[in-house]
Amino acid sequence: MTTTDNTGPELADAPVATRFPAGFLWGAATASYQIEGAVREDGRTPSIWDTFSHTPGKVVNGDTGDVAVDHYHRWRDDVRLMADLGLTAYRFSVAWPRVQPTGRGPAVQRGLDFYRGLVDELLAHGIKPVVTLYHWDLPQELESAGGWPERDTAHRFAEYAGLVGEALGDRVESWVTLNEPWCSAFLGYGSGVHAPGRTDPAAALRAAHHLNLGHGLASSVLRGVLPARANIGISLNPSVVRALTDAPADLDARRRIDALANRVFTGPLLKGAYPRDLITDTAAVTDWSFVRDGDTAAIHQPLDFIGLNYYTPAVVSAARPDQDGPRLDGHGASEHTPWPGADGVAFHRASGELTAMDWPVDPTGLTDLLLDHTAQAPGVPLYVTENGAAYEDVVDAEGRVHDPDRIAYLHGHLAAVHEAIEQGADVRGYFLWSLLDNFEWAYGYGKRFGAVYVDYETQERIPKSSAAWYSRVARAGGLPAES
């Protein structure tokens, strides 16, 4: 592990200008399939992402997570790296097929032992573990039985949640049931750009409901096995949807996408019901008969917190007759839409500088997102559970990685979080995406989001300038006057 001093000119000493509340968590986040590797070790069986990444044409360059960044073998060094950076929290996901290989039956203790050791190491370094139970790696056997469009998968998820809760509940306080269920449902079963790669709009809507139901059932199980001090929440990736103009047709386009991106989850989660306009908009796709009596009550469980993931806003309008070209929604190229029932909506690129993902940089969207959810769920604490950017990072002749664009991105978005706090949002922490460069889903290893550079040939870790900057912010509890 390299710990090269990457402070660089961007980190000239400056007083802290913007302080965050005492106890604010300064964290980083990762996902199991993106970093662990060791996909055939200690009883782990294939997930849908193993299958998808090994299918020709699905991932750039044919990349897979077979090795990833070898965190399964290097976790102690990675935890020491977190401690060196002064992180106070780490959000990681448990690989379902490592713990319960078929998605049914008893847990594999070797798989649980990996996470027990990781949690113990984090606690020994004063880092709070935040466990995400599902970050997209569904056991392939469950997908072969129908996957998330099938109701049984929600029940299997609740059983799995109980196994992990019983194993780690004595040492982990904070639990995230699902990460970005929108991606699981609509990219996995609608546009097909994520695993399992299916392109059925009705299946995407069924999957969204069963993910919601899985959250509710898992929350109930966790309440039964965890100590009373435990906190249970969910990490959503809501779209900050903006209409291109104030024309009624564009405002209606915004309403449609808000229903499909946001209210399909917040409706049952926060209000115990699906929005009527969502059901009307998608009536030609499905009759929603998969929602059974009692389902929305089961989903509408108490939330101890809500995690929000934010990268860039969405700009929409009604489709114009002369418009043609790719769908600029930032969710990958596909002939199939992830927006069932919204064929008449066009997406536009927001203004702002672009990251390596071609995502516009707009920190104001994060402030808007936090204030919106403060209004929707008053009294429920919020966490930014993902925020970050990919850039074209390179190692210079001195073995350093300077990434001033990422520093500017983080500074702007942390300032946006602080602005939301000043306006009354109860934001308790921020988790940088991501700790390490890693397997970026369908983009393979071509997009680097990490604060720590990883040489994928040697697995050497090199903290970037942004890691040193973020370390300084975390230790000071606030932002310098300038990035």
Side-chain angles (χ1 to χ4, degrees):
M1 177 178 65
T2 297
T3 56
T4 303
D5 179 7
N6 257 341
T7 47
E10 301 92 345
L11 290 179
D13 287 337
V16 173
T18 304
R19 291 204 175 275
F20 282 72
F24 190 86
L25 291 180
W26 298 97
T30 63
S32 51
Y33 189 73
Q34 293 183 274
I35 68 167
E36 285 183 3
V39 296
R40 299 174 187 88
E41 293 187 31
D42 293 335
R44 185 189 181 280
T45 57
S47 73
I48 55 174
W49 269 98
D50 293 281
T51 302
F52 187 81
S53 66
H54 280 269
T55 302
K58 295 298 186 182
V59 176
V60 173
N61 296 324
D63 291 339
T64 75
D66 288 2
V67 177
V69 298
D70 198 31
H71 176 72
Y72 192 75
H73 300 113
R74 300 169 185 265
W75 56 274
R76 289 184 178 85
D77 287 341
D78 289 341
V79 173
R80 283 194 290 272
L81 182 55
M82 296 178 219
D84 289 344
L85 294 176
L87 300 187
T88 57
Y90 175 53
R91 184 172 80 94
F92 64 92
S93 75
V94 173
W96 189 346
R98 198 179 292 288
V99 167
Q100 195 187 35
T102 67
R104 294 179 173 85
V108 172
Q109 292 305 312
R110 288 171 296 173
L112 286 173
D113 285 345
F114 168 70
Y115 298 106
R116 289 185 180 107
L118 174 61
V119 167
D120 287 345
E121 192 77 4
L122 290 166
L123 292 172
H125 285 83
I127 300 170
K128 178 176 181 170
V130 178
V131 169
T132 299
L133 288 167
Y134 186 73
H135 200 135
W136 308 353
D137 42 5
L138 183 73
Q140 179 59 43
E141 285 202 26
L142 290 184
E143 173 58 27
S144 298
W148 284 109
E150 292 298 319
R151 186 180 186 86
D152 185 61
T153 305
H155 291 277
R156 300 285 67 75
F157 177 65
E159 178 186 76
Y160 153 72
L163 295 175
V164 181
E166 289 175 346
L168 302 181
D170 61 336
R171 62 200 90 179
V172 174
E173 292 184 5
S174 295
W175 295 79
V176 175
T177 54
L178 305 172
N179 180 80
E180 298 186 355
W182 186 88
C183 294
S184 297
F186 295 100
L187 300 184
Y189 295 93
S191 66
V193 300
H194 278 192
R198 289 161 61 179
T199 54
D200 180 344
L205 290 166
R206 291 199 309 273
H209 174 63
H210 294 138
L211 283 154
N212 281 333
L213 182 60
H215 159 80
L217 297 175
S219 296
S220 294
V221 170
L222 289 172
R223 298 280 180 205
V225 301
L226 296 177
R229 59 185 169 81
N231 296 302
I232 300 169
I234 189 171
S235 285
L236 304 173
N237 61 317
S239 287
V240 177
V241 190
R242 294 168 175 166
L244 183 66
T245 75
D246 289 336
D250 289 356
L251 294 174
D252 190 63
R254 181 197 178 280
R255 178 199 60 76
R256 284 178 174 268
I257 298 305
D258 178 59
L260 284 166
N262 302 329
R263 290 183 285 122
V264 66
F265 299 108
T266 57
L269 286 170
L270 302 179
K271 299 179 181 179
Y274 284 100
R276 294 304 309 172
D277 62 324
L278 170 68
I279 294 172
T280 300
D281 290 345
T282 57
V285 178
T286 179
D287 61 5
W288 289 79
S289 59
F290 49 81
V291 180
R292 299 183 185 176
D293 289 346
D295 279 4
T296 52
I299 297 166
H300 185 44
Q301 298 293 317
L303 287 166
D304 297 314
F305 64 90
I306 298 172
L308 299 173
N309 300 352
Y310 173 80
Y311 293 94
T312 192
V315 178
V316 301
S317 72
R320 282 28 171 192
D322 59 344
Q323 285 180 334
D324 194 15
R327 184 179 58 253
L328 297 176
D329 62 359
H331 293 299
S334 172
E335 295 179 359
H336 302 273
T337 179
W339 307 105
D343 293 341
V345 175
F347 288 82
H348 306 264
R349 181 170 285 147
S351 60
E353 297 180 4
L354 300 179
T355 69
M357 296 289 289
D358 285 334
W359 293 346
V361 177
D362 185 349
T364 66
L366 183 52
T367 303
D368 292 345
L369 188 67
L370 292 166
L371 292 175
D372 178 62
H373 281 75
T374 296
Q376 288 193 62
V380 180
L382 305 176
Y383 291 86
V384 178
T385 40
E386 285 187 28
N387 177 241
Y391 289 103
E392 303 293 339
D393 302 316
V394 295
V395 182
D396 67 18
E398 297 179 340
R400 298 181 176 184
V401 181
H402 291 303
D403 55 343
D405 288 340
R406 184 174 287 105
I407 292 173
Y409 181 100
L410 296 177
H411 192 285
H413 285 78
L414 281 167
V417 174
H418 190 269
E419 175 64 23
I421 293 172
E422 289 287 287
Q423 294 190 45
D426 183 11
V427 187
R428 304 281 181 91
Y430 175 93
F431 291 81
L432 167 69
W433 186 268
S434 177
L435 176 68
L436 302 160
D437 289 337
N438 55 51
F439 176 83
E440 183 48 40
W441 307 114
Y443 295 94
Y445 295 99
K447 305 297 182 183
R448 293 180 176 271
F449 275 87
V452 176
Y453 184 94
V454 178
D455 182 320
Y456 297 123
E457 295 297 321
T458 66
Q459 297 295 345
E460 180 184 18
R461 274 80 158 132
I462 305 174
K464 304 172 189 177
S465 294
S466 59
W469 181 89
Y470 188 58
S471 174
R472 177 173 163 234
V473 169
R475 294 179 190 280
L479 293 170
E482 298 179 358
S483 61

